Amino acid sequence: MNTKAAFQKRLALSCGFLLLAGCQTSASKVVLSDEEYFDRVMLAPAILPADLTNTGCLNLNNDDDAKDYKTASQVNYQQADWQSRVAADWLYFADPLQPGKLLLIDYQVKGGQLAYRYLSDGSHNELYEPWSSSKIQAFTGALSRVRQAHPELGATAFAGDTALADLISSINSYEAFGKADGNSNAIASYFVNVAGREYLRGLFNEGWLKLQDQRLLFNGAYGSEQFAPSDDYWHNPINKEFAAKIDRYTASSDDPGYLRYRCDSCGLTGNKAMTTLAQAEWLKRLVSHQREPITQMPNLQSSDVDVLLNGTGHTDQQAKVGGMMVGISHIVTNALANVIAPNDSRSAKEVLDTATNGQWRVWQKIGWGPSETRSTTETVMLAHVCLGNYQGGREFTFSVQQSIGGADEANLPKVGKQMQQKLQHAFTKLLDSRIQ
């Protein structure tokens, strides 16, 4: 996703008066032109909740009668074919008027434990290209690999003189953040080359998620450019004695696990083929890391997840938070606000702050692009939502992919609008299913 010129253009535009644009000043729900939607919604900096005192989700109300949900111990995620044992409605969102791919994992507390139900539109096993939404997977995979050899070095470390918290925040914001320069593709490629592609791919299968789908791939890169730290060491900022040289592939093609985009076994979805189930399950396990020890990513610690989600420890003096909290786009927040208060003229931020007493979270990573290979234009969103104090607390992880015919950047706002429509439809059904 090449955003530099688009960001410059966005910054030249005034906020205006449109809720669909996510602006802070107004709120009439007027239809935006494609150009306005791309600049003011898809490229818009994240809005933040009024209450930033908690770095995680608030506790959900315990519901021992949550028969439509299953706990991790009931599912046994360590055994193969766990997806056949989860509480699920794989056609919950099926609707011929809402094209795309969506899997949403809804959370509940049952007997004092987290419990889940999996809701899909029937497409949860269909392959697609994740675009930049997979960059948070590259980051956490690299942390897992480094901590395997150096347990004292995690996401609070510095790569050379650059905080990893700055790097993940720059990946999500597409802007300079602390000492990170805003080159999201180069930074993400660095983490892929630290982790190694076979290690990343293995996390889908026996290495962690225990998915048996051998079609899943994590064997590409995000362009040829790669972030180069000031030195080859990761440094622990608290204990200066903890520093280690971190090996990485100088070029992506040096990795024996690297596959060309159209390799013989890759198919039309390329060398990073994923599904909504694989992506949503990855993020779900990260977000529940502290609360669900039996599904934790190997070697990862709670501080690593906190850096991923909130950018804790970043060096940008102007930023309140970082990480996935500063992921660009108002698609998710607009969809939530339009469902929570469909006839409200206030901004999305005001609606969400009021409904939750300021205690909401949207951790998100978007990706998009035109595909000449598939003759389509696509966008993917991987996100986790917390609505504290709303309906007793709501929490869910989702992955959604939209695609329309024609490989043309001019189609990006069209597919973005389509994604917001699909999410509004899904959130309406999800939130209306619980009496407030």
Side-chain angles (χ1 to χ4, degrees):
M1 180 167 58
N2 183 3
T3 63
K4 185 175 180 180
F7 260 120
Q8 292 171 341
K9 187 175 183 180
R10 172 181 57 74
L11 292 172
L13 292 170
S14 63
C15 187
F17 58 94
L18 305 168
L19 174 63
L20 284 178
C23 293
Q24 304 298 307
T25 55
S26 115
S28 33
K29 297 183 179 177
V30 211
V31 175
L32 293 173
S33 70
D34 286 352
E35 183 178 11
E36 289 170 325
Y37 189 86
F38 186 64
D39 285 320
R40 300 180 184 180
V41 177
M42 296 179 71
L43 284 174
I47 62 173
L48 299 177
D51 187 347
L52 291 171
T53 56
N54 296 304
T55 58
C57 288
L58 296 179
N59 291 332
L60 302 174
N61 289 346
N62 191 78
D63 185 357
D64 290 326
D65 295 325
K67 61 181 183 302
D68 294 332
Y69 298 74
K70 284 186 178 180
T71 65
S73 57
Q74 288 177 303
V75 172
N76 190 1
Y77 286 98
Q78 283 66 47
Q79 291 294 320
D81 198 34
W82 56 260
Q83 58 268 42
S84 69
R85 299 188 297 272
V86 298
D89 185 342
W90 300 118
L91 296 175
Y92 185 82
F93 296 121
D95 186 335
L97 299 179
Q98 298 293 333
K101 301 176 178 65
L102 171 65
L103 175 76
L104 184 148
I105 307 171
D106 192 25
Y107 291 50
Q108 186 53 267
V109 174
K110 181 178 177 181
Q113 298 179 6
L114 280 181
Y116 315 94
R117 61 173 179 160
Y118 290 66
L119 306 171
S120 178
D121 58 3
S123 63
H124 52 286
N125 287 322
E126 294 180 13
L127 293 178
Y128 58 82
E129 180 176 354
W131 298 92
S132 290
S133 69
S134 61
K135 289 174 179 176
I136 65 107
Q137 297 168 260
F139 177 73
T140 50
L143 290 172
S144 173
R145 187 66 182 271
V146 169
R147 277 206 185 272
Q148 187 178 54
H150 308 286
E152 69 283 356
L153 292 174
T156 58
F158 281 59
D161 62 358
T162 307
L164 268 63
D166 290 347
L167 293 173
I168 188 58
S169 300
S170 194
I171 279 177
N172 284 283
S173 68
Y174 289 87
E175 293 184 336
F177 205 102
K179 285 201 171 183
D181 64 4
N183 191 334
S184 179
N185 287 343
I187 298 168
S189 292
Y190 167 77
F191 287 120
V192 171
N193 286 331
V194 166
R197 288 155 181 81
E198 284 308 309
Y199 186 81
L200 289 172
R201 183 179 183 180
L203 291 171
F204 286 128
N205 308 129
E206 291 308 308
W208 182 34
L209 297 187
K210 298 293 191 294
L211 293 170
Q212 304 304 300
D213 192 344
Q214 298 302 315
R215 303 172 305 159
L216 300 170
L217 299 175
F218 211 148
N219 298 76
Y222 301 93
S224 58
E225 195 174 352
Q226 182 182 171
F227 165 73
S230 61
D231 62 56
D232 291 332
Y233 288 77
W234 281 19
H235 308 266
N236 185 312
I238 305 300
N239 190 332
K240 304 300 182 183
E241 294 181 3
F242 289 139
K245 184 176 181 180
I246 304 302
D247 293 329
R248 72 180 192 276
Y249 294 104
T250 304
S252 295
S253 56
D254 293 339
D255 186 345
Y258 176 78
L259 295 175
R260 293 176 294 105
Y261 185 81
R262 288 301 309 276
C263 73
D264 293 340
S265 59
C266 290
L268 293 179
T269 46
N271 51 16
K272 290 195 295 290
M274 300 184 192
T275 63
T276 54
L277 177 61
Q279 283 204 286
E281 183 65 24
W282 189 302
L283 181 56
K284 167 227 168 193
R285 296 192 188 191
L286 293 175
V287 172
S288 63
H289 178 94
Q290 191 165 2
R291 296 174 288 171
E292 199 73 273
I294 63 176
T295 59
Q296 291 177 347
M297 176 180 272
N299 314 311
L300 224 63
Q301 297 184 12
S302 296
S303 59
D304 301 326
V305 177
D306 188 32
V307 172
L308 167 73
L309 299 179
N310 304 300
T312 302
H314 68 77
T315 69
D316 192 320
Q317 299 301 313
Q318 306 304 312
K320 295 180 180 179
V321 293
M324 293 181 73
M325 280 283 282
V326 295
I328 64 168
S329 167
H330 292 180
I331 291 176
V332 177
T333 45
N334 285 348
L336 286 168
N338 290 346
V339 170
I340 290 172
N343 299 312
D344 203 310
S345 63
R346 294 171 299 164
S347 71
K349 174 177 168 55
E350 291 173 301
V351 169
L352 291 169
D353 280 340
T354 300
T356 66
N357 295 330
Q359 295 174 333
W360 58 272
R361 296 289 183 272
V362 173
W363 292 299
Q364 62 182 6
K365 183 68 189 78
I366 198 168
W368 64 57
S371 169
E372 298 290 345
T373 303
R374 295 177 293 277
S375 298
T376 55
T377 301
E378 303 165 357
T379 187
V380 181
M381 175 70 79
L382 179 60
H384 185 82
V385 172
C386 300
L387 301 174
N389 303 305
Y390 182 75
Q391 296 183 350
R394 298 303 300 265
E395 182 175 357
F396 48 90
T397 305
F398 69 87
S399 183
V400 60
Q401 188 258 17
Q402 296 293 141
S403 174
I404 61 176
D408 190 337
E409 287 195 356
N411 288 332
L412 285 170
K414 296 181 176 65
V415 77
K417 289 178 179 179
Q418 193 180 85
M419 176 177 283
Q420 183 171 323
Q421 276 189 329
K422 186 173 181 70
L423 289 177
Q424 286 179 197
H425 177 267
F427 295 161
T428 297
K429 184 166 186 178
L430 178 74
L431 298 177
D432 280 355
S433 68
R434 182 87 60 83
I435 298 175
Q436 299 189 42

